[in-house]
Amino acid sequence: MSNNSNAALLEFVLRLGDNNLILGHRLSEWCSNGPFLEEDIALSNIALDYLGQTRILYTYAGTLEGGKTEDFYAYERFEHEFTNALITELPNGDYAHSIARQLYYSVFADLLLTELMKSKDATLSGYAAKAIKETAYHLRHATDWTLRLGDGTEESHQRMQKAIDDLFMYTGDMFATTEKEKSLVAAGIAPDVPALKAAWTKKVESVLKEATLTMPDAATWQMQGSRTNRHTEHIGYIIAEMQYVTRAYPGNKW
Amino acid sequence: METLNPLVWNGKEPELWNIANEVVDPEIPVLTVVDMGIVRDVTREGDNITVKITPTYSGCPAMEMISTDIKAAFHRKGFNNVSIEFVLSPAWTTDWISDYAKDKLEKYGIAPPPRSTADKNAILGKPKEVRCPQCKSLNTVMISNFGSTACKALWKCEDCKEPFDYFKCI
């Protein structure tokens, strides 16, 4: 493989891995803070799935770069080196906000993985076939709760609608791509992510409708940045917490 | 000696597969890692043994312990050069748990997954029927799709009122 296509593949694998790591880290903050025990366990389980998926991807990235470990990508990179979609790094907000994000992201992940299963890269297609089974459960979880909160009490409906509205401006960034990634699409390795937008809108719309919620205006201004190394202010706080121990004790093993 | 799971054993190296079959799943000690379909292949080249394993869920925290336990089992039998290889493809499925192992699960108090993931309802968390492992009633309801470990959901029985784990179908 040429250096260019290797760099493109590495960028794409890290994009997938970073999405999983940062969202998984955010969800793990619900551990022991869930609204009730079963949800505490559910959100922690989903966080664990994302973490496991991250490890597969970071390990693969390490082989592409010749010998870097999965820990390097999580613990030794700075904010601008992370390429996660902006929506994954936002603070959890109230429970409705976390559910709205899970809905937006799980619908996206399900579509992405469905396409990635057809990748000509055997590691990526194998990863997708594994991850999509877990994502089916995440999507079902997010859908169930969107229905329950949206079509629940007046208070839950209003808060779920607010969460859906608040987060909508970050959804467009999930579909952002790069020139390098386009070369992988042409080679049949990466799916055409921007092309997933129509199916995503349709699916989210149908869930919201069933939940008696209103789909935000498609013309809403969209925040962009994750593919051009620009983040919200929140990424630094996540990384500071995540990397503190490894930076305080470099190279330590336990 | 326990039966080797016919859904994963390729009929080769029975001695080595039987050693792997002594290792139990740390979370579900009633099943071995061969019963679970976690062990995908055991091969020998000279003195070197390679055991291929696959995780049930990507984030399964038991994989490290399973690797260590498999190595230890082989060391006890005098095989000192054992390497563990992680494989992802094909993705693990509950279809690899044999009927014999499903019976063991139910006796242990965990409702086993349905017979096949080909039943789409089962994948979507709506299996046709989940039988209470305690009183065998079919009058059961799901409490949460996420349970005590990544591979289990939490259910309860409306007849005997006992909560129980259900092995999720994937």
Side-chain angles (χ1 to χ4, degrees):
Chain A
M1 193 179 279
S2 73
N3 280 345
N4 279 347
S5 55
N6 201 46
L9 184 56
L10 178 67
E11 182 198 79
F12 178 65
V13 169
L14 288 177
R15 164 74 166 179
L16 297 174
D18 292 350
N19 277 346
N20 284 324
L21 179 70
I22 301 299
L23 183 55
H25 193 82
R26 274 297 184 219
L27 283 182
S28 74
E29 292 170 5
W30 277 110
C31 187
S32 80
N33 294 303
F36 56 92
L37 184 62
E38 285 78 12
E39 262 316 278
D40 202 298
I41 292 169
L43 294 168
S44 304
N45 260 300
I46 295 171
L48 186 63
D49 286 342
Y50 286 134
L51 186 64
Q53 294 181 20
T54 308
R55 294 188 62 185
I56 295 168
L57 293 161
Y58 282 178
T59 301
Y60 185 39
T63 63
L64 295 173
E65 279 207 280
K68 279 188 176 143
T69 67
E70 50 180 311
D71 283 354
F72 168 81
Y73 299 104
Y75 295 130
E76 294 183 40
R77 289 184 301 153
F78 290 102
E79 295 94 315
H80 66 277
E81 295 171 283
F82 280 83
T83 56
N84 56 284
L86 300 178
I87 196 168
T88 62
E89 71 198 34
L90 300 176
N92 286 331
D94 71 1
Y95 182 65
H97 278 79
S98 286
I99 292 301
R101 170 163 57 193
Q102 283 310 108
L103 179 70
Y104 284 152
Y105 186 80
S106 304
V107 173
F108 169 76
D110 186 55
L111 293 167
L112 175 77
L113 293 168
T114 302
E115 291 303 310
L116 192 61
M117 281 169 71
K118 304 170 198 158
S119 172
K120 284 183 182 160
D121 182 293
T123 307
L124 286 178
S125 61
Y127 158 74
K130 175 104 205 131
I132 200 164
K133 295 184 177 198
E134 294 159 10
T135 299
Y137 275 98
H138 305 168
L139 179 56
R140 181 177 162 77
H141 172 262
T143 304
D144 283 354
W145 278 100
T146 303
L147 296 176
R148 211 155 144 181
L149 295 174
D151 196 13
T153 65
E154 200 178 313
E155 168 88 7
S156 73
H157 174 87
Q158 175 256 320
R159 288 172 72 170
M160 194 64 218
Q161 184 67 56
K162 180 170 174 8
I164 287 289
D165 293 342
D166 286 352
L167 292 178
F168 190 71
M169 64 180 272
Y170 298 98
T171 55
D173 176 74
M174 294 191 295
F175 300 91
T177 188
T178 65
E179 286 307 314
K180 282 190 189 136
E181 196 172 298
K182 284 178 193 162
S183 69
L184 294 180
V185 176
I189 290 171
D192 184 358
V193 175
L196 302 173
K197 184 75 179 280
W200 179 86
T201 305
K202 200 172 158 205
K203 172 72 183 172
V204 170
E205 224 162 16
S206 78
V207 174
L208 294 184
K209 191 175 171 205
E210 199 185 338
T212 71
L213 296 162
T214 309
M215 181 80 176
D217 185 352
T220 304
W221 179 78
Q222 293 289 321
M223 175 93 106
Q224 296 283 343
S226 66
R227 306 311 297 270
T228 49
N229 308 102
R230 291 207 300 268
H231 285 272
T232 67
E233 65 179 293
H234 307 292
I235 185 82
Y237 295 95
I238 300 177
I239 290 178
E241 185 179 335
M242 199 168 66
Q243 297 184 340
Y244 171 75
V245 175
T246 44
R247 293 208 184 269
Y249 303 96
N252 212 0
K253 298 237 181 282
W254 57 85
Chain B
M1 189 169 291
E2 295 277 350
T3 322
L4 285 172
N5 181 353
L7 303 176
V8 294
W9 182 40
N10 54 13
K12 294 174 189 162
E13 302 284 6
E15 182 202 3
L16 301 180
W17 276 86
N18 275 308
I19 295 173
N21 202 30
E22 289 172 11
V23 177
V24 295
D25 184 292
E27 296 282 1
I28 310 165
V30 69
L31 294 189
T32 74
V33 291
V34 177
D35 288 336
M36 288 279 291
I38 290 171
V39 174
R40 302 302 300 152
D41 202 6
V42 188
T43 50
R44 178 195 331 231
E45 209 169 306
D47 288 339
N48 300 314
I49 309 289
T50 303
V51 183
K52 286 188 179 164
I53 59 174
T54 195
T56 54
Y57 280 73
S58 305
C60 178
M63 291 308 280
E64 296 292 334
M65 188 165 173
I66 289 172
S67 305
T68 313
D69 288 352
I70 291 174
K71 281 189 181 174
F74 278 95
H75 288 176
R76 280 196 299 273
K77 295 283 159 65
F79 296 97
N80 290 318
N81 300 318
V82 183
S83 49
I84 308 288
E85 225 177 87
F86 289 87
V87 290
L88 276 181
S89 198
W92 185 83
T93 161
T94 31
D95 290 349
W96 292 342
I97 302 177
S98 67
D99 288 350
Y100 163 76
K102 283 174 184 165
D103 293 343
K104 283 204 286 186
L105 265 180
E106 189 173 19
K107 280 193 195 109
Y108 183 63
I110 299 173
R115 296 298 174 192
S116 170
T117 51
D119 177 359
K120 189 110 194 285
N121 276 339
I123 292 180
L124 294 175
K126 292 183 202 156
K128 282 185 189 136
E129 45 194 39
V130 171
R131 187 163 66 173
C132 170
Q134 317 291 341
C135 75
K136 314 300 180 204
S137 163
L138 292 174
N139 184 17
T140 58
V141 290
M142 185 183 77
I143 299 173
S144 171
N145 241 327
F146 297 88
S148 56
T149 67
C151 52
K152 285 178 256 157
L154 190 59
W155 281 61
K156 73 173 172 184
C157 176
E158 298 280 46
D159 284 339
C160 73
K161 305 294 180 198
E162 286 287 326
F164 63 90
D165 277 332
Y166 162 64
F167 205 104
K168 279 199 309 221
C169 180
I170 63 168

Coordinates of all heavy atoms in Angstrom, one line a residue, chain A residues 188-253:
Chain A
G188 N -13.3 1.6 -2.3 CA -14.2 0.6 -1.7 C -13.8 0.3 -0.3 O -14.3 -0.8 0.2
I189 N -13.1 1.1 0.4 CA -12.6 0.8 1.7 C -13.5 1.5 2.7 O -13.9 0.9 3.7 CB -11.2 1.2 1.9 CG1 -10.3 0.2 1.1 CG2 -10.8 1.2 3.4 CD1 -8.8 0.6 1.0
A190 N -13.8 2.8 2.5 CA -14.7 3.5 3.4 C -16.0 3.8 2.8 O -16.1 4.0 1.5 CB -14.0 4.8 3.8
P191 N -17.1 3.9 3.6 CA -18.4 4.2 3.0 C -18.5 5.7 2.7 O -17.7 6.5 3.3 CB -19.4 3.9 4.1 CG -18.6 3.7 5.3 CD -17.2 3.5 5.0
D192 N -19.3 6.1 1.8 CA -19.5 7.5 1.5 C -20.4 8.1 2.6 O -21.6 8.1 2.6 CB -20.2 7.6 0.1 CG -20.4 9.1 -0.3 OD1 -20.0 10.0 0.4 OD2 -20.9 9.3 -1.4
V193 N -19.7 8.7 3.6 CA -20.4 9.1 4.8 C -21.5 10.2 4.6 O -22.6 10.1 5.0 CB -19.4 9.5 6.0 CG1 -20.2 10.0 7.2 CG2 -18.6 8.2 6.4
P194 N -21.1 11.3 3.8 CA -22.1 12.3 3.6 C -23.4 11.8 2.9 O -24.5 12.3 3.1 CB -21.4 13.3 2.6 CG -19.9 13.1 2.9 CD -19.8 11.6 3.2
A195 N -23.2 10.7 2.1 CA -24.4 10.1 1.5 C -25.4 9.4 2.4 O -26.5 9.1 2.0 CB -23.9 9.2 0.4
L196 N -24.9 9.2 3.7 CA -25.8 8.6 4.6 C -26.9 9.5 5.2 O -27.8 9.1 5.9 CB -25.0 8.0 5.8 CG -23.9 7.0 5.4 CD1 -23.1 6.6 6.6 CD2 -24.5 5.7 4.8
K197 N -26.7 10.8 5.0 CA -27.5 11.8 5.6 C -29.0 11.7 5.3 O -29.8 11.8 6.2 CB -27.0 13.2 5.1 CG -27.7 14.4 5.8 CD -27.2 14.7 7.2 CE -27.8 15.9 7.8 NZ -27.2 17.1 7.4
A198 N -29.4 11.3 4.1 CA -30.8 11.2 3.8 C -31.5 10.1 4.5 O -32.5 10.3 5.1 CB -30.9 11.0 2.3
A199 N -30.8 9.0 4.6 CA -31.4 7.8 5.3 C -31.4 8.1 6.8 O -32.4 7.7 7.5 CB -30.6 6.6 5.1
W200 N -30.4 8.9 7.3 CA -30.4 9.2 8.7 C -31.6 10.1 9.1 O -32.3 9.9 10.0 CB -29.1 10.0 9.0 CG -28.9 10.4 10.4 CD1 -28.4 9.7 11.5 CD2 -29.2 11.7 11.0 NE1 -28.4 10.5 12.6 CE2 -28.9 11.7 12.3 CE3 -29.8 12.9 10.4 CZ2 -29.1 12.8 13.2 CZ3 -30.0 14.0 11.2 CH2 -29.6 13.9 12.6
T201 N -31.8 11.1 8.2 CA -32.9 12.1 8.5 C -34.2 11.3 8.5 O -35.1 11.6 9.4 CB -32.9 13.2 7.3 OG1 -31.6 13.8 7.3 CG2 -34.0 14.2 7.6
K202 N -34.4 10.4 7.5 CA -35.6 9.7 7.4 C -35.9 8.9 8.7 O -37.0 8.9 9.3 CB -35.6 8.8 6.2 CG -36.9 8.3 5.7 CD -36.7 7.6 4.4 CE -38.0 6.7 4.1 NZ -37.7 5.6 3.3
K203 N -34.9 8.2 9.2 CA -35.0 7.3 10.3 C -35.3 8.2 11.6 O -36.2 7.8 12.4 CB -33.7 6.5 10.5 CG -33.7 5.7 11.8 CD -34.6 4.5 11.8 CE -34.5 3.8 13.1 NZ -35.6 2.7 13.2
V204 N -34.5 9.2 11.8 CA -34.7 10.0 13.0 C -36.1 10.7 13.0 O -36.8 10.7 14.0 CB -33.6 11.2 13.1 CG1 -33.9 12.2 14.2 CG2 -32.2 10.5 13.3
E205 N -36.5 11.1 11.8 CA -37.8 11.7 11.7 C -38.9 10.8 12.1 O -39.8 11.1 12.8 CB -38.0 12.1 10.2 CG -38.6 13.5 10.0 CD -38.4 14.0 8.6 OE1 -38.0 13.2 7.7 OE2 -38.5 15.2 8.4
S206 N -38.8 9.5 11.7 CA -39.8 8.5 12.0 C -39.9 8.2 13.4 O -41.0 8.1 14.0 CB -39.6 7.2 11.1 OG -38.6 6.4 11.7
V207 N -38.7 8.2 14.1 CA -38.7 7.9 15.6 C -39.3 9.1 16.3 O -40.2 9.0 17.2 CB -37.3 7.7 16.1 CG1 -37.3 7.5 17.6 CG2 -36.7 6.4 15.5
L208 N -38.9 10.3 15.9 CA -39.5 11.5 16.5 C -41.0 11.6 16.4 O -41.7 12.0 17.3 CB -38.8 12.8 16.0 CG -37.3 12.9 16.3 CD1 -36.7 14.2 15.8 CD2 -37.0 12.8 17.8
K209 N -41.4 11.3 15.2 CA -42.9 11.4 14.9 C -43.6 10.5 15.8 O -44.6 10.8 16.4 CB -43.1 11.1 13.4 CG -44.5 11.4 13.0 CD -44.7 11.2 11.5 CE -46.2 11.3 11.2 NZ -46.6 10.6 10.0
E210 N -43.1 9.2 15.9 CA -43.8 8.3 16.8 C -43.8 8.7 18.2 O -44.7 8.4 19.0 CB -43.1 6.9 16.6 CG -44.0 5.8 17.1 CD -43.3 4.4 17.1 OE1 -42.3 4.3 16.3 OE2 -43.8 3.5 17.8
A211 N -42.7 9.5 18.6 CA -42.6 10.0 20.0 C -43.3 11.3 20.2 O -43.1 11.9 21.2 CB -41.1 10.1 20.3
T212 N -44.1 11.7 19.2 CA -44.9 13.0 19.2 C -44.0 14.2 19.3 O -44.4 15.2 19.9 CB -45.9 13.0 20.4 OG1 -45.3 13.1 21.6 CG2 -46.8 11.8 20.4
L213 N -42.7 14.0 18.8 CA -41.8 15.1 18.9 C -41.6 15.7 17.5 O -42.0 15.1 16.5 CB -40.4 14.6 19.4 CG -40.4 14.1 20.8 CD1 -39.2 13.3 21.0 CD2 -40.4 15.3 21.8
T214 N -41.1 16.9 17.4 CA -41.0 17.6 16.1 C -39.5 17.6 15.7 O -38.6 17.9 16.4 CB -41.4 19.1 16.3 OG1 -42.7 19.1 16.9 CG2 -41.5 19.8 15.0
M215 N -39.3 17.2 14.4 CA -38.0 17.2 13.8 C -37.5 18.7 13.7 O -38.3 19.5 13.1 CB -38.0 16.5 12.5 CG -36.7 16.4 11.7 SD -35.7 15.0 12.4 CE -34.3 15.1 11.3
P216 N -36.3 19.0 14.1 CA -35.8 20.3 13.9 C -35.7 20.7 12.4 O -35.6 19.8 11.6 CB -34.4 20.3 14.6 CG -34.5 19.2 15.5 CD -35.4 18.1 14.9
D217 N -35.7 22.0 12.2 CA -35.7 22.5 10.8 C -34.4 22.1 10.1 O -33.3 22.3 10.7 CB -35.8 24.0 10.9 CG -35.9 24.7 9.5 OD1 -35.7 24.0 8.5 OD2 -36.1 25.9 9.5
A218 N -34.5 21.5 9.0 CA -33.3 21.0 8.3 C -32.4 22.1 7.9 O -31.2 21.9 7.7 CB -33.7 20.3 7.0
A219 N -32.9 23.4 7.9 CA -32.0 24.5 7.5 C -31.3 25.1 8.7 O -30.6 26.1 8.6 CB -32.9 25.6 6.9
T220 N -31.4 24.5 9.9 CA -30.7 24.9 11.1 C -29.2 25.1 10.8 O -28.6 24.2 10.3 CB -31.0 23.9 12.3 OG1 -32.3 23.8 12.5 CG2 -30.3 24.4 13.6
W221 N -28.6 26.2 11.3 CA -27.2 26.3 11.1 C -26.4 25.2 11.8 O -26.8 24.7 12.9 CB -26.7 27.7 11.8 CG -25.2 27.9 11.6 CD1 -24.6 28.2 10.5 CD2 -24.3 27.6 12.7 NE1 -23.2 28.3 10.8 CE2 -23.0 27.9 12.1 CE3 -24.3 27.2 14.0 CZ2 -21.8 27.8 12.8 CZ3 -23.2 27.1 14.7 CH2 -21.9 27.4 14.1
Q222 N -25.4 24.6 11.1 CA -24.7 23.5 11.6 C -23.3 23.8 12.0 O -22.5 24.4 11.2 CB -24.7 22.4 10.6 CG -26.0 21.8 10.3 CD -26.6 20.9 11.4 OE1 -25.8 20.2 12.0 NE2 -27.9 21.0 11.7
M223 N -22.9 23.5 13.2 CA -21.5 23.7 13.7 C -20.6 22.6 13.0 O -21.0 21.4 12.9 CB -21.5 23.4 15.2 CG -20.1 23.5 15.8 SD -19.7 25.1 16.3 CE -19.8 24.9 18.1
Q224 N -19.5 23.0 12.5 CA -18.6 22.1 11.8 C -17.2 22.2 12.5 O -17.0 23.1 13.2 CB -18.4 22.4 10.3 CG -19.7 22.2 9.5 CD -20.0 20.8 9.2 OE1 -19.2 19.9 9.3 NE2 -21.3 20.5 8.8
G225 N -16.3 21.3 12.3 CA -14.9 21.5 12.8 C -14.2 20.2 13.0 O -12.9 20.2 13.0
S226 N -14.8 19.1 13.3 CA -14.1 17.9 13.7 C -13.1 17.3 12.7 O -12.2 16.7 13.0 CB -15.1 16.8 14.2 OG -15.8 16.3 13.1
R227 N -13.4 17.6 11.4 CA -12.4 17.1 10.4 C -11.4 18.1 10.0 O -10.5 17.9 9.2 CB -13.2 16.7 9.1 CG -14.3 15.7 9.3 CD -14.0 14.5 10.2 NE -12.9 13.6 9.7 CZ -13.2 12.6 8.9 NH1 -14.4 12.3 8.5 NH2 -12.2 11.8 8.5
T228 N -11.4 19.3 10.7 CA -10.4 20.3 10.4 C -9.7 20.7 11.7 O -9.2 21.8 11.9 CB -11.0 21.6 9.8 OG1 -12.1 22.0 10.6 CG2 -11.4 21.3 8.3
N229 N -9.6 19.7 12.6 CA -8.9 19.8 13.9 C -9.5 20.9 14.8 O -8.7 21.5 15.6 CB -7.4 20.0 13.7 CG -6.8 19.0 12.8 OD1 -6.6 19.3 11.6 ND2 -6.6 17.8 13.3
R230 N -10.7 21.3 14.6 CA -11.3 22.3 15.5 C -12.4 21.6 16.4 O -13.2 20.8 15.9 CB -11.9 23.4 14.7 CG -10.8 24.3 14.1 CD -11.2 25.7 13.9 NE -12.4 25.8 13.0 CZ -12.3 25.9 11.7 NH1 -11.2 26.1 11.1 NH2 -13.4 26.0 11.0
H231 N -12.4 21.9 17.6 CA -13.3 21.3 18.6 C -14.1 22.3 19.3 O -13.8 23.5 19.3 CB -12.5 20.4 19.6 CG -11.9 19.1 19.0 ND1 -12.7 18.0 19.0 CD2 -10.8 18.8 18.4 CE1 -11.9 17.0 18.5 NE2 -10.8 17.5 18.1
T232 N -15.0 21.8 20.1 CA -15.7 22.7 21.1 C -14.7 22.8 22.3 O -13.7 22.0 22.4 CB -17.0 22.1 21.6 OG1 -16.7 20.9 22.3 CG2 -17.9 21.8 20.4
E233 N -15.0 23.7 23.2 CA -14.1 23.8 24.4 C -14.1 22.6 25.3 O -13.2 22.4 26.1 CB -14.6 25.0 25.2 CG -15.9 24.8 25.8 CD -16.4 26.0 26.7 OE1 -15.8 26.2 27.8 OE2 -17.3 26.6 26.3
H234 N -15.1 21.7 25.1 CA -15.3 20.6 26.0 C -14.2 19.5 25.9 O -14.0 18.7 26.8 CB -16.7 20.0 25.9 CG -17.7 21.1 26.0 ND1 -18.0 21.7 27.2 CD2 -18.6 21.6 25.0 CE1 -19.0 22.6 26.9 NE2 -19.3 22.6 25.7
I235 N -13.6 19.3 24.7 CA -12.7 18.2 24.5 C -11.5 18.3 25.5 O -11.1 17.2 26.0 CB -12.2 18.2 23.0 CG1 -11.3 16.9 22.8 CG2 -11.4 19.4 22.7 CD1 -12.1 15.7 22.5
G236 N -11.0 19.5 25.8 CA -9.9 19.6 26.7 C -10.1 19.0 28.0 O -9.3 18.4 28.6
Y237 N -11.3 19.2 28.5 CA -11.7 18.8 29.9 C -11.7 17.2 29.9 O -11.3 16.6 30.9 CB -13.0 19.4 30.3 CG -12.9 20.9 30.5 CD1 -13.3 21.7 29.5 CD2 -12.4 21.4 31.7 CE1 -13.2 23.1 29.6 CE2 -12.3 22.8 31.8 CZ -12.7 23.6 30.8 OH -12.6 25.0 31.0
I238 N -12.3 16.7 28.9 CA -12.3 15.2 28.8 C -10.9 14.6 28.8 O -10.6 13.7 29.6 CB -13.0 14.7 27.5 CG1 -14.4 15.2 27.4 CG2 -13.0 13.2 27.5 CD1 -15.1 14.8 26.1
I239 N -10.1 15.2 27.9 CA -8.8 14.6 27.8 C -7.9 14.8 29.0 O -7.2 14.0 29.5 CB -8.1 15.2 26.5 CG1 -8.8 14.7 25.3 CG2 -6.6 14.9 26.5 CD1 -8.3 15.2 24.0
A240 N -8.1 16.0 29.7 CA -7.4 16.3 30.9 C -7.7 15.2 31.9 O -6.8 14.6 32.6 CB -7.8 17.6 31.5
E241 N -8.9 14.8 32.0 CA -9.3 13.8 33.0 C -8.8 12.4 32.6 O -8.2 11.7 33.4 CB -10.8 13.8 33.2 CG -11.2 12.8 34.4 CD -12.7 12.8 34.6 OE1 -13.4 13.8 34.3 OE2 -13.1 11.8 35.2
M242 N -9.0 12.1 31.3 CA -8.6 10.8 30.8 C -7.1 10.6 30.8 O -6.7 9.4 31.1 CB -9.2 10.7 29.4 CG -9.3 9.3 28.8 SD -10.3 9.4 27.3 CE -9.1 10.3 26.2
Q243 N -6.4 11.6 30.6 CA -4.9 11.4 30.4 C -4.1 11.8 31.7 O -2.9 11.6 31.7 CB -4.4 12.3 29.3 CG -5.1 11.9 27.9 CD -4.5 12.7 26.8 OE1 -3.9 13.7 26.9 NE2 -4.7 12.1 25.6
Y244 N -4.8 12.2 32.7 CA -4.0 12.8 33.9 C -3.0 11.7 34.4 O -1.8 12.1 34.6 CB -5.0 13.2 35.0 CG -4.2 13.5 36.2 CD1 -3.5 14.7 36.3 CD2 -4.1 12.6 37.3 CE1 -2.7 15.0 37.4 CE2 -3.4 12.9 38.4 CZ -2.7 14.1 38.5 OH -1.9 14.4 39.6
V245 N -3.5 10.5 34.7 CA -2.6 9.6 35.3 C -1.4 9.2 34.4 O -0.3 9.1 34.9 CB -3.4 8.3 35.8 CG1 -2.5 7.3 36.3 CG2 -4.4 8.7 36.8
T246 N -1.7 8.9 33.2 CA -0.6 8.5 32.3 C 0.4 9.7 32.1 O 1.6 9.4 31.8 CB -1.1 8.0 30.9 OG1 -2.1 8.9 30.4 CG2 -1.6 6.6 31.0
R247 N -0.1 10.9 32.2 CA 0.9 12.0 32.0 C 1.6 12.3 33.3 O 2.8 12.7 33.3 CB 0.1 13.3 31.5 CG -0.4 13.1 30.1 CD -0.5 14.5 29.4 NE -1.2 14.3 28.1 CZ -0.5 14.1 27.0 NH1 0.8 14.0 27.0 NH2 -1.1 14.0 25.8
A248 N 1.0 12.0 34.4 CA 1.7 12.2 35.7 C 2.7 11.1 35.9 O 3.8 11.4 36.5 CB 0.7 12.2 36.8
Y249 N 2.5 9.9 35.4 CA 3.4 8.8 35.6 C 3.7 8.2 34.2 O 3.3 7.1 33.9 CB 2.8 7.8 36.5 CG 2.4 8.3 37.9 CD1 1.1 8.7 38.1 CD2 3.4 8.4 38.9 CE1 0.7 9.2 39.4 CE2 3.0 8.9 40.1 CZ 1.7 9.3 40.3 OH 1.3 9.8 41.6
P250 N 4.5 8.9 33.4 CA 4.7 8.4 32.0 C 5.3 7.0 32.0 O 6.3 6.8 32.8 CB 5.7 9.4 31.4 CG 5.6 10.6 32.3 CD 5.2 10.1 33.7
G251 N 4.8 6.2 31.2 CA 5.4 4.8 31.0 C 5.2 3.9 32.1 O 5.6 2.7 32.1
N252 N 4.4 4.3 33.2 CA 4.2 3.4 34.3 C 3.3 2.3 33.9 O 2.4 2.4 33.1 CB 3.5 4.2 35.4 CG 4.0 3.7 36.8 OD1 4.8 2.8 36.9 ND2 3.5 4.3 37.8
K253 N 3.5 1.1 34.5 CA 2.7 -0.1 34.2 C 2.1 -0.5 35.6 O 2.7 -0.5 36.6 CB 3.6 -1.2 33.7 CG 4.2 -0.9 32.4 CD 3.8 -1.9 31.3 CE 4.5 -1.6 30.0 NZ 3.8 -0.5 29.2

